[in-house]
């Protein structure tokens, strides 16, 4: 099981260049960054973890920050957890992801999700009740643009004509339903359930749940859905994020078949965070 890290990276925390170098030198597998474009002051949306951290309104753009991280590292993988796909133009997002993948020599993992803040999504023109369909369609547009040959896509809420577009992400998954899923590894976050698991098997490379509650019961259902979709069992990836590590907890996740544990780092400056990294590095 690989050990990675995530945190709310802001204009007040450790810089991405310093953080990335510190993670790589300590043997961490990857750095994952979350995304919020803005947080409307008036909101009725409930933050999934209880009280919304103030850092949500100060987050750096993950792709700009990860580009800085790529420039100062050689092996550290770079990911998002999560990208709010419904809030992006899919053609532009596909170009950003492919460019980061190219500049990092294929080190990108794209974590995606549906979001929780209705008001933030509404400012982007998102119909909240249709956001899951919107995410599926926009991901399909991105897959079309990442394909080796010009490929068109026509969906319910998004489309793209066959186009010449470069760079291309380096990775092509080994198995996929009814053909190839082009692009970097894509993991989707969300609560366990048959609807989400069907989308994971049909559209992505695996699951990125938050925390470890209920995994023992939900993982067999996910693996069944994956197999029924014709996917190769060894191709399923499960990256558990928001982990507060202890040796016993990490051993439990490993024994469940979790591929990657993404440790939650505190949103601190360099002086406050580097000692935490030293402690967490012992788990590696």
């Amino acid at each position: 099981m690989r050990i990675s890290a995530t945190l709310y990276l802001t204009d007040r925390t450790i810089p991405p260049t310093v953080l990335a170098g510190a993670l790589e030198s300590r043997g961490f597998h990857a750095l994952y960054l979350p995304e919020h474009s803005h947080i409307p002051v008036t909101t009725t949306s409930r933050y999934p973890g209880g009280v919304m951290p103030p850092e949500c309104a100060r987050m750096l753009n993950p792709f700009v920050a990860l580009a800085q991280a790529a420039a100062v590292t050689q092996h550290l993988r770079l990911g998002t957890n999560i990208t709010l796909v419904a809030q992006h133009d899919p053609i532009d997002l596909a170009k950003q992801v492919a460019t980061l993948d190219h500049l990092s020599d294929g080190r990108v993992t794209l974590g995606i999700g549906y979001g929780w803040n209705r008001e933030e999504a509404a400012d982007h023109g998102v119909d909240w009740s249709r956001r899951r369909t919107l995410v599926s369609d926009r991901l399909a547009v991105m897959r079309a643009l990442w394909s080796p040959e010009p490929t068109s896509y026509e969906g319910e809420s998004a489309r793209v004509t066959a186009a010449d577009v470069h760079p291309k992400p380096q990775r092509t998954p080994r198995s996929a339903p009814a053909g190839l899923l082009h692009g970097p590894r894509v993991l989707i976050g969300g609560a366990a359930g048959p609807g989400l698991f069907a989308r994971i098997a049909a559209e992505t490379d695996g699951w990125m749940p938050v925390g470890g509650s209920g995994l023992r019961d939900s993982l067999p259902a996910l693996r069944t859905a994956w197999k029924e979709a014709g996917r190769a069992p060894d191709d399923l990836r499960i990256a558990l994020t928001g982990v507060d590590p202890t040796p016993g907890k990490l051993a439990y996740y490993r024994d469940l078949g979790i591929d990657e544990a993404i440790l939650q780092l505190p949103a601190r400056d360099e002086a406050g965070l580097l000692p935490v990294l030293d402690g967490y590095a012992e788990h590696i």
Side-chain angles (χ1 to χ4, degrees), residues 6-19 31-37 39 52-66 68 264-270 273:
T6 187
L7 79 165
Y8 295 143
L9 196 68
T10 78
D11 55 335
R12 294 175 173 174
T13 63
I14 187 172
T17 49
V18 178
L19 173 62
L31 167 63
Y32 288 86
L33 296 180
E35 175 185 44
H36 279 294
S37 59
I39 299 295
M52 183 183 69
E55 291 84 9
C56 285
R58 308 191 71 100
M59 288 181 184
L60 302 184
N61 178 285
F63 295 103
V64 176
L66 290 171
Q68 283 204 329
Q264 184 68 53
L265 304 179
R268 297 178 183 173
D269 61 12
E270 181 178 350
L273 185 59

Side-chain angles (χ1 to χ4, degrees), residues 102-147:
H102 169 72
L103 294 176
S104 66
D105 196 25
R107 288 188 273 151
V108 171
T109 295
L110 182 65
I112 67 172
Y114 304 116
W116 60 269
N117 193 308
R118 294 170 178 260
E119 291 78 14
E120 178 186 4
D123 283 348
H124 288 276
V126 176
D127 180 344
W128 189 254
S129 66
R130 299 184 64 253
R131 71 191 187 283
R132 289 179 173 80
T133 297
L134 186 61
V135 168
S136 294
D137 269 352
R138 291 189 175 179
L139 179 59
V141 166
M142 295 164 66
R143 297 284 196 193
L145 293 168
W146 292 334
S147 298

Side-chain angles (χ1 to χ4, degrees), residues 185-261:
R185 177 171 289 125
V186 177
L187 307 176
I188 191 166
L196 179 72
F197 291 166
R199 289 181 185 269
I200 289 172
E203 302 171 4
T204 74
D205 303 288
W207 190 24
M208 185 180 277
V210 179
S213 177
L215 284 176
R216 183 175 294 279
D217 294 329
S218 58
L219 288 178
L222 171 59
R223 292 179 174 125
T224 296
W226 185 266
K227 181 179 179 181
E228 290 176 348
R231 308 292 297 273
D234 290 344
D235 286 350
L236 175 62
R237 292 292 179 267
I238 302 168
L240 180 63
T241 190
V243 174
D244 180 16
T246 64
K249 187 185 297 183
L250 292 174
Y252 172 72
Y253 295 150
R254 177 202 61 203
D255 293 344
L256 286 179
I258 301 299
D259 300 288
E260 186 175 1

Side-chain angles (χ1 to χ4, degrees), residues 46-52:
R46 185 179 65 85
Y47 180 73
V51 178
M52 183 183 69

